[in-house]
Amino acid sequence: MPTANPSEATRHRAQRPDQSRDASPVEPRSKRRVNAEQERQTKAYHTRLLVLFGWILYGPSISREGHLADADNTPSSLHALGIFYFTKGFLLTRLVLDYKSECLVSPIEGERSTAGSRESGCWHPKTFDKAVVVLVDALRYDFTVPLLPATEQAEPRPHYRNALNVLHRTASERPENALLLPFIADPPTTTLQRLKGLTTGTLPTFVDAGSNFAGTAIDEDNLVAQLRDAGKVVVHLGDDTWQSLFPGYLDPELSKPYDSFNVWDLHTVDDGVTTHLLPLLAPSNTSSWDVIFAHYLGVDHAGHRYGPDHPAMGAKLRQMDTVIEQLMMSLDESTLLVVMGDHGMDAKGDHGGESDDEVQAALWMYSKNAVFGRASPEDVAPPSNAKERPVWQIDLVPTLALILGLPIPFNNLGAPIKEAFLGRGSDWRNVARVTGLAAAQVKRYQQEYALARGLSESTFLEPLALWKLAQQRYSLADGSGLAAGDATWQRAHEALAAYQAETLRICKGLWARFDVPSMSFGIVILLVGVVLLVAYVRASTAETSRLLSALPRQLIRGAAVALATGGVSALLVPLGAYALAGVTLGAAVASVAIGIYAVTQLGATSIPRTRLSLWTCLALLFTASQSIGFASNSYTIWEDEILLFFLASFGLLSAVASMRRTKVGGERGEEPAVSNSIVSIVFVVLTRVASLSRLCREEQMPYCRSTFYASENSSTSAPWQLGIPYGLCVLMPAVILYYYPRSDFYLPSSPSWTGYALPAGQLVTAIFWTLDTADDGDWFSLDEDVMKSIKVILARLVLGISAAAVTATFWAPAPRPQIDLSRLTLQADGVLTTRMPGFESPKTIIGYANTHGTRYFQLLCSYALALVLLLKPMGQLSFGVLTWQILCLLEIVEKNSLQGSPIGPVMLGLLGNYHFFKTGHQATLSSIQWESAFIPLKQVQYIPGALLVTGNTFAAQILCTVAVPLVVLWKVPPPRNKNHSPLLLLLLAHVGRAVATYLAYHAFVNLSTTVWAAWLRRHLMLYRIFSPRWMVGSAVLLVCDVVGILVTLVGVRWSTLSVARIFGWA
């Protein structure tokens, strides 16, 4: 911030003959009282702003004095509650039945158990006593299919091909001993949801997707629970997600869980699983266990870190090839070996969505006994691709249950895999029997589910008709004494399978039912929030002040309504969940009522008074057209290109506007129009430069080519991209120092921060990413732990530089000299001077013309340094361009006198959303860069890790949120009069209006994505396009709310108060 410096001619301070060396005069008591009172008024007004925006985001308790108190656990805000209620109705859930299948109760009516005991098999004679189930996380089907020699010569062989050969080779050479099939997952393709499907036989819902890294115990019938009830010893090795899903089911002595979230670590989990697994297969140890679940993570982590087409992936698959061969040799004849993937991965190694590469996993079964068969001679060879003869992952549950002699879990909807029961002689009778058992269990589940949900008989008319047909065919084959291979048995199997498939289709439709009232209530709450923000922006200062004064009392009444509603709910239904739901509902109703009250207070006179300018209309056009466009899937897919058009259009229009006017007055006199328009042209050029960073989503192919990573099949940076961080070391300080002299500002701390700390931090960031790329490419041999320690030290050093800079230049207490504003003199060259007591010569006030703006800009620079560390090199290019564009935008706003227009905050919103795409993200789950959670960390730490991933994902929106006050503060000097506080309050009011405009833009975008997701809830592309975009919009709104309150508004308070302490309150 500005300070008083001596001129060149008088650098040494003069000693006053009649006073001490202290240059600060003693303030009169009356003046100190006035200063204290005006400072109190400013702080009180700022606190009320925090109350308002805090309520819009998350409603904390409010004391009677209007100050923030400790927040309770009940959301009472507009944005949080609106998103909560819509999410509650939109994300699908299903009713979980707590019934369990029993060994001696057959699902076929009037029939006891076929085998009759757990020893020989419950519903069906068991084939194996033991099983080793190896789950290779993210084992995509094409990883197991070798390339033919002719194909290999015609095109380069990816690293993931011909590395894992044992599965395809054994299934081809010994089809009676091994079976390889495509294994199709139901989305979402996240590990937790896949494990639930693989053990229960049911379909996951998107509600579960939010808990992918914090799994809760499965409370429905499942394969692991059936094993425990049968007295089996179940051992788990690997991914620790199993421990949270099946607490108490897994043998505590033999099981060895490993942390699953560290995607940087490719070897610890896999080496640990192999180390403990192979000894268990020794003949001396086989009696200590019955079933082993071994979950390998290296392939999945290699995909996340490098992508599938990388040497590390080939090495990891070859390691799995060796391990599987060792398992085959160690196996006895009574043990089944199963190797499978829980999902696949896309071209960058990520997963979570429903693309073909993400859902196409592999399933391989092996036995030393000849137990497997094929439906026809053409099916002997394994499928060449995942489209041929696929099986669903839920089909594994009845298959394993019947093979091991267990009851099929009650909620299962899968069908037995016929190849596992055909045998060498095409035993269709056995296949029809196991299919009949599974179909009968599905029918039993269907009946209980219909009763629990109160469904009418018409819901299952088609499945019931198929069931009757299947019973007729089965009875015909069974009563005729036909041979096991007769085609009548095959037709009976096909009819039973058709019934199971139709029931599965009906259940998917039932579970796709949305809670429309809850969704509508959420939309209403979000709409009230948007209207409130718009009304606040359009209201006069007097109206907003009146609302801010009355709001605490209204919030207290709203909290009373919420507590009263919760109390009544607790009395009527004495269950904690219902009481909490009552409090939440009461808080929602109270928030809506308070929001409507606030709108009526603000909107009484604002609409007739407001005149829409050209720039205001442009801001409305950008916001409305973008929001309406989200109804189109093609618009949503190509949103980054639409934003590019909006930003370029704004830059060109501002260039034309600058050519038509000149900047008159001020301290620089008149500026030429051409000079003003250059800034706009630079803004457009920078927008095009940022477009060079591109991460394409699947739906954009083949019209898009990714440049963010080294290749479209990689998730690592190319070596040439390392030049970007080093270039930013020089470019960014130069750009900032170019704009500082233009704004008459270069305070004493700026050379240290902008000239040394900023480039030093960026240099350390560049070194970090150089080492990371070297580690990915194995450029030199260095112990992995040593390399990781070096990178962690460098990352923490950058964060330390950022924290130290923001503390020293922004948050540190400001110096206390008081400048007598009445003595200020404007010299001919535009420099302000003042005569201070105790000094013979005038003192120059440097940076007076942009005191507020450049003081606050230090906060933005500090956060930019911390956030740029979390971005990959191409993301840093976009982030550096964004910082430059923010400076250009501030100049455009100031030169065109647009400080009071909504165009500035709206353009910041557009910039944030545009650079969200340019920093390597898309509105898809698979584009989340999870590895950023480990940049400054060695081990998994969930809260810091979540904050780091959030910073990486929404870095552009965070920086733009921090920059919002600069639209008002840029090139604003302190007033040269004795009534500083009222003008400071007016400045705070304008900042609050700018923040409200910015949040209104994001709130409107979120509202539109919410409305279109609700309206298009039956659209084919709902969960591929519209639902992910709604999730991004909701997350962006909440992140901007939090940053706007905790960083932006608090930073403005600190900055403006520091300036006032220098130049005085009165």
Side-chain angles (χ1 to χ4, degrees):
M1 61 177 296
T3 185
N5 288 340
S7 62
E8 292 294 331
T10 57
R11 288 186 176 274
H12 299 285
R13 184 173 57 183
Q15 177 70 30
R16 287 180 291 176
D18 55 342
Q19 298 184 23
S20 65
R21 296 177 61 89
D22 186 5
S24 300
V26 179
E27 291 182 295
R29 291 185 178 180
S30 60
K31 186 175 182 179
R32 287 200 299 268
R33 284 197 300 268
V34 172
N35 287 342
E37 175 62 22
Q38 295 191 357
E39 182 174 1
R40 187 195 66 79
Q41 292 178 3
T42 303
K43 291 180 178 179
Y45 184 88
H46 179 270
T47 301
R48 295 189 188 104
L49 276 179
L50 291 179
V51 171
L52 172 64
F53 289 104
W55 165 60
I56 292 175
L57 166 64
Y58 188 91
S61 300
I62 307 296
S63 68
R64 292 189 179 274
E65 291 75 20
H67 298 288
L68 289 169
D70 293 334
D72 56 25
N73 294 325
T74 305
S76 57
S77 72
L78 295 176
H79 290 167
L81 271 176
I83 293 172
F84 167 76
Y85 272 99
F86 183 82
T87 302
K88 178 175 173 289
F90 182 72
L91 293 185
L92 305 180
T93 59
R94 61 181 174 86
L95 177 64
V96 176
L97 302 181
D98 57 1
Y99 298 103
K100 287 193 174 183
S101 298
E102 298 180 12
C103 181
L104 300 180
V105 181
S106 172
I108 300 178
E109 297 179 3
E111 179 179 320
R112 299 291 292 174
S113 170
T114 303
S117 68
R118 294 187 182 276
E119 288 73 20
S120 57
C122 289
W123 297 352
H124 184 269
K126 66 180 181 181
T127 310
F128 296 97
D129 296 325
K130 298 176 180 292
V132 177
V133 181
V134 176
L135 198 159
V136 181
D137 207 295
L139 181 63
R140 204 169 72 189
Y141 182 74
D142 60 341
F143 291 178
T144 68
V145 180
L147 282 177
L148 298 177
T151 306
E152 191 171 353
Q153 294 176 2
E155 57 186 31
R157 186 184 72 187
H159 289 92
Y160 57 81
R161 302 302 286 266
N162 293 14
L164 180 57
N165 297 317
V166 63
L167 307 184
H168 192 277
R169 184 177 67 249
T170 53
S172 301
E173 298 174 355
R174 290 181 287 168
E176 70 279 2
N177 297 102
L179 173 67
L180 177 63
L181 292 171
F183 201 39
I184 307 303
D186 293 291
T189 49
T190 49
T191 296
L192 175 66
Q193 288 68 46
R194 293 293 80 241
L195 291 182
K196 289 184 176 182
L198 288 167
T199 55
T200 63
T202 57
L203 302 178
T205 59
F206 271 81
V207 168
D208 294 330
S211 56
N212 187 41
F213 305 109
T216 56
I218 295 178
D219 56 357
E220 59 184 311
D221 197 9
N222 60 81
L223 198 59
V224 178
Q226 288 291 345
L227 287 168
R228 186 197 61 173
D229 293 343
K232 306 294 185 181
V233 178
V234 182
V235 177
H236 158 254
L237 306 172
D239 188 343
D240 59 355
T241 306
W242 290 77
Q243 298 293 325
S244 60
L245 292 178
F246 306 104
Y249 293 1
L250 309 172
D251 185 271
E253 296 183 1
L254 298 178
S255 298
K256 303 295 179 183
Y258 292 86
D259 180 78
S260 60
F261 193 49
N262 190 354
V263 297
W264 289 68
D265 188 351
L266 274 60
H267 307 296
T268 300
V269 177
D270 289 5
D271 294 345
V273 171
T274 303
T275 299
H276 292 94
L277 177 58
L278 292 177
L280 289 175
L281 298 182
S284 58
N285 293 326
T286 54
S287 60
S288 62
W289 57 271
D290 294 292
V291 175
I292 299 176
F293 293 99
H295 193 152
Y296 285 86
L297 292 172
V299 172
D300 179 67
H301 288 184
H304 283 299
R305 184 172 178 181
Y306 304 108
D309 192 13
H310 189 274
M313 179 62 75
K316 183 53 64 176
L317 291 173
R318 285 189 290 273
Q319 179 188 2
M320 291 295 99
D321 191 80
T322 302
V323 168
I324 293 170
E325 288 188 339
Q326 293 175 332
L327 295 178
M328 292 171 58
M329 291 186 292
S330 303
L331 219 61
D332 58 33
E333 294 183 351
S334 64
T335 303
L336 171 70
L337 175 61
V338 179
V339 177
M340 62 182 177
D342 56 342
H343 50 74
M345 63 177 67
D346 63 12
K348 304 183 305 299
D350 299 318
H351 56 88
E354 54 180 332
S355 67
D356 288 346
D357 285 344
E358 292 172 274
V359 302
Q360 294 172 352
L363 172 66
W364 180 78
M365 306 176 76
Y366 172 80
S367 169
K368 290 189 174 180
N369 295 325
V371 297
F372 301 113
R374 301 295 187 275
S376 66
E378 293 79 11
D379 296 341
V380 172
S384 59
N385 59 72
K387 300 295 184 181
E388 300 177 12
R389 294 156 37 211
V391 296
W392 294 98
Q393 291 193 353
I394 58 175
D395 295 342
L396 181 68
V397 173
T399 303
L400 284 182
L402 296 175
I403 281 178
L404 297 174
L406 299 171
I408 299 175
F410 190 88
N411 296 336
N412 166 74
L413 292 173
I417 300 172
K418 60 179 181 293
E419 289 85 352
F421 298 94
L422 269 171
R424 301 183 65 177
S426 298
D427 190 351
W428 284 106
R429 178 173 57 190
N430 188 40
V431 174
R433 285 177 175 173
V434 297
T435 307
L437 286 169
Q441 175 55 46
V442 169
K443 185 174 184 297
R444 185 162 63 174
Y445 170 77
Q446 164 203 315
Q447 292 173 337
E448 296 296 337
Y449 190 86
L451 289 174
R453 285 283 302 269
L455 302 176
S456 63
E457 295 182 359
S458 61
T459 305
F460 292 99
L461 281 180
E462 293 185 19
L464 289 176
L466 291 172
W467 174 253
K468 291 179 180 180
L469 176 63
Q471 281 186 313
Q472 293 173 359
R473 291 187 177 181
Y474 187 89
S475 299
L476 176 63
D478 192 34
S480 303
L482 300 174
D486 192 272
T488 306
W489 285 111
Q490 183 176 357
R491 288 192 292 270
H493 154 72
E494 292 171 351
L496 290 165
Y499 162 76
Q500 179 269 338
E502 179 63 18
T503 304
L504 178 61
R505 185 189 69 80
I506 295 295
C507 288
K508 286 183 177 181
L510 290 174
W511 295 338
R513 290 187 175 180
F514 300 88
D515 186 354
V516 177
S518 179
M519 294 165 57
S520 302
F521 190 38
I523 291 174
V524 169
I525 297 174
L526 291 173
L527 178 61
V528 171
V530 171
V531 173
L532 172 60
L533 287 170
V534 173
Y536 184 88
V537 170
R538 294 163 64 89
S540 65
T541 304
E543 290 169 336
T544 57
S545 299
R546 186 166 58 250
L547 171 66
L548 293 177
S549 299
L551 185 61
R553 294 191 298 273
Q554 299 299 326
L555 292 180
I556 293 173
R557 295 171 184 170
V561 172
L563 294 176
T565 307
V568 172
S569 302
L571 291 175
L572 295 177
V573 185
L575 294 176
Y578 286 94
L580 180 59
V583 172
T584 305
L585 179 60
V589 174
S591 292
V592 172
I594 297 171
I596 296 174
Y597 161 81
V599 171
T600 58
Q601 293 295 307
L602 293 172
T605 61
S606 60
I607 296 178
R609 182 182 59 250
T610 304
R611 183 176 62 87
L612 298 180
S613 66
L614 172 64
W615 295 105
T616 300
C617 293
L618 188 64
L620 294 175
L621 176 64
F622 286 159
T623 305
S625 58
Q626 184 183 13
S627 300
I628 295 173
F630 288 126
S632 167
N633 55 355
S634 59
Y635 178 97
T636 306
I637 291 171
W638 294 98
E639 183 183 357
D640 54 339
E641 297 298 322
I642 304 298
L643 292 172
L644 171 63
F645 172 75
F646 286 166
L647 293 172
S649 300
F650 167 78
L652 294 176
L653 288 174
S654 63
V656 173
S658 298
M659 290 291 292
R660 298 182 60 184
R661 64 177 293 167
T662 57
K663 176 72 164 51
V664 182
E667 298 172 5
R668 292 184 173 273
E670 186 176 297
E671 295 185 19
V674 175
S675 175
N676 291 345
S677 63
I678 289 177
V679 179
S680 301
I681 296 174
V682 171
F683 182 89
V684 176
V685 172
L686 291 174
T687 304
R688 298 299 305 181
V689 171
S691 68
L692 299 176
S693 175
R694 185 182 302 110
L695 178 67
C696 303
R697 55 189 295 165
E698 182 186 13
E699 296 82 3
Q700 293 176 326
M701 301 298 183
Y703 308 104
C704 179
R705 190 176 72 86
S706 295
T707 60
F708 189 80
Y709 294 109
S711 68
E712 294 183 355
N713 295 324
S714 173
S715 58
T716 60
S717 300
W720 68 267
Q721 295 174 343
L722 294 177
I724 296 173
Y726 290 99
L728 290 179
C729 297
V730 179
L731 181 62
M732 287 314 301
V735 169
I736 295 173
L737 295 180
Y738 170 78
Y739 280 90
Y740 272 4
R742 288 173 58 86
S743 60
D744 301 322
F745 183 82
Y746 197 59
L747 52 81
S749 61
S750 292
S752 301
W753 164 240
T754 310
Y756 299 102
L758 180 60
Q762 183 60 46
L763 178 61
V764 176
T765 298
I767 296 174
F768 171 89
W769 285 104
T770 301
L771 293 178
D772 182 77
T773 305
D775 188 21
D776 292 342
D778 294 328
W779 293 358
F780 44 81
S781 58
L782 187 64
D783 183 75
E784 187 174 346
D785 291 336
V786 174
M787 176 68 78
K788 178 62 178 176
S789 299
I790 295 174
K791 291 195 295 184
V792 167
I793 292 173
L794 293 176
R796 292 179 178 179
L797 178 60
V798 174
L799 296 178
I801 292 174
S802 175
V806 75
T807 301
T809 64
F810 192 83
W811 297 116
R816 298 292 300 184
Q818 286 291 320
I819 298 175
D820 190 351
L821 299 178
S822 63
R823 297 173 178 264
L824 287 173
T825 303
L826 181 61
Q827 296 180 350
D829 58 357
V831 177
L832 288 171
T833 61
T834 182
R835 290 190 176 274
M836 299 178 61
F839 295 89
E840 296 179 358
S841 59
K843 308 306 176 193
T844 303
I845 310 299
I846 300 177
Y848 183 82
N850 196 8
T851 303
H852 287 288
T854 45
R855 162 74 175 167
Y856 182 85
F857 192 79
Q858 301 296 303
L859 182 65
L860 184 140
C861 291
S862 300
Y863 276 89
L865 178 60
L867 291 171
V868 78
L869 168 70
L870 307 179
L871 301 174
K872 293 180 181 290
M874 282 300 287
Q876 294 181 35
L877 170 65
S878 171
F879 207 68
V881 169
L882 172 61
T883 306
W884 193 345
Q885 284 188 292
I886 289 174
L887 287 167
C888 291
L889 178 63
L890 299 178
E891 290 290 317
I892 293 172
V893 169
E894 190 272 335
K895 292 179 184 299
N896 292 278
S897 302
L898 299 175
Q899 290 87 344
S901 171
I903 191 64
V906 169
M907 293 311 302
L908 282 174
L910 290 172
L911 278 173
N913 287 345
Y914 176 68
H915 286 276
F916 165 81
F917 296 101
K918 300 309 166 184
T919 51
H921 301 95
Q922 282 284 351
T924 58
L925 293 175
S926 59
S927 69
I928 299 176
Q929 300 171 22
W930 298 108
E931 63 273 18
S932 59
F934 301 95
I935 288 178
L937 303 175
K938 286 186 176 181
Q939 302 295 333
V940 178
Q941 298 181 32
Y942 287 102
I943 295 179
L947 293 176
L948 291 168
V949 172
T950 301
N952 168 274
T953 306
F954 305 112
Q957 285 97 340
I958 292 173
L959 191 69
C960 288
T961 306
V962 176
V964 170
L966 289 170
V967 175
V968 176
L969 300 177
W970 195 250
K971 292 191 177 180
V972 174
R976 281 177 283 167
N977 56 52
K978 293 189 176 183
N979 197 16
H980 188 198
S981 183
L983 293 178
L984 188 59
L985 291 177
L986 185 61
L987 190 65
L988 287 177
H990 289 318
V991 169
R993 195 169 282 116
V995 173
T997 304
Y998 178 79
L999 294 180
Y1001 163 79
H1002 284 296
F1004 198 83
V1005 169
N1006 176 60
L1007 176 64
S1008 65
T1009 58
T1010 303
V1011 170
W1012 293 127
W1015 183 259
L1016 300 170
R1017 61 187 180 274
R1018 298 297 181 186
H1019 196 281
L1020 180 64
M1021 293 293 178
L1022 175 65
Y1023 291 113
R1024 184 182 286 246
I1025 296 176
F1026 298 109
S1027 179
R1029 186 59 186 88
W1030 158 71
M1031 293 179 183
V1032 170
S1034 299
V1036 167
L1037 177 60
L1038 294 178
V1039 168
C1040 290
D1041 281 340
V1042 172
V1043 175
I1045 295 168
L1046 299 182
V1047 178
T1048 304
L1049 290 178
V1050 174
V1052 167
R1053 173 188 178 126
W1054 199 272
S1055 179
T1056 53
L1057 293 181
S1058 298
V1059 172
R1061 291 190 182 104
I1062 293 295
F1063 289 95
W1065 296 91

